[in-house]
């Protein structure tokens, strides 16, 4: 039983990272899709230009699926009362809001 909680915490931490880094996840899936599809298509007979086009199409389909998945995650995160955009990006905003402008 203790092992299952350790695995669950790893899966939960992975899910949290994906929620915080949606665009990196989609970009990584796109890059791995292009590389994987090129590797597969290159082993098949045919013209190089057709292989490149097929690799791009496969990666594009994978990216669209990943974007749809990110949208679903964002929807359920918002519906479940997760962090709002203001809460999520507050760490990037300065704490002192009184700015002094130099002329």
């Amino acid at each position: 039983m203790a092992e299952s909680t350790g695995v669950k915490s790893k899966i939960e931490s992975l899910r949290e990272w994906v929620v915080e880094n949606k665009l990196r996840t989609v970009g990584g899936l796109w890059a791995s899709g292009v590389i994987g599809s090129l590797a597969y298509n290159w082993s098949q007979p045919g013209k190089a230009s057709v292989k490149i086009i097929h690799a791009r199409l496969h990666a594009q389909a994978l990216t669209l699926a990943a974007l749809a998945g990110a949208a679903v995650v964002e929807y359920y995160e918002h519906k479940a009362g997760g962090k709002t955009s203001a809460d999520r990006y507050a760490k990037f905003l300065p704490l002192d809001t009184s700015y002094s402008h130099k002329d």
Side-chain angles (χ1 to χ4, degrees):
M1 289 289 186
E3 292 180 45
S4 65
T5 58
V7 171
K8 186 176 182 181
S9 66
K10 288 180 183 179
I11 292 172
E12 182 65 25
S13 65
L14 177 65
R15 187 195 68 80
E16 289 175 3
W17 186 88
V18 168
V19 167
E20 292 293 323
N21 299 291
K22 290 179 191 82
L23 292 178
R24 287 183 184 173
T25 303
V26 170
L29 280 170
W30 176 81
S32 64
V34 168
I35 292 168
S37 185
L38 270 175
Y40 172 75
N41 283 322
W42 221 258
S43 67
Q44 305 298 317
K47 293 173 63 174
S49 61
V50 173
K51 293 176 185 179
I52 293 171
I53 291 170
H54 283 165
R56 185 192 61 83
L57 290 174
H58 293 147
Q60 188 174 6
L62 182 64
T63 303
L64 287 174
L67 283 172
V72 168
V73 167
E74 185 72 21
Y75 173 75
Y76 283 113
E77 184 87 5
H78 178 71
K79 191 170 181 123
K83 292 181 179 179
T84 63
S85 294
D87 294 337
R88 191 176 305 135
Y89 299 115
K91 61 185 173 188
F92 299 113
L93 299 175
L95 294 176
D96 184 22
T97 57
S98 60
Y99 299 127
S100 61
H101 296 287
K102 294 183 180 179
D103 293 327

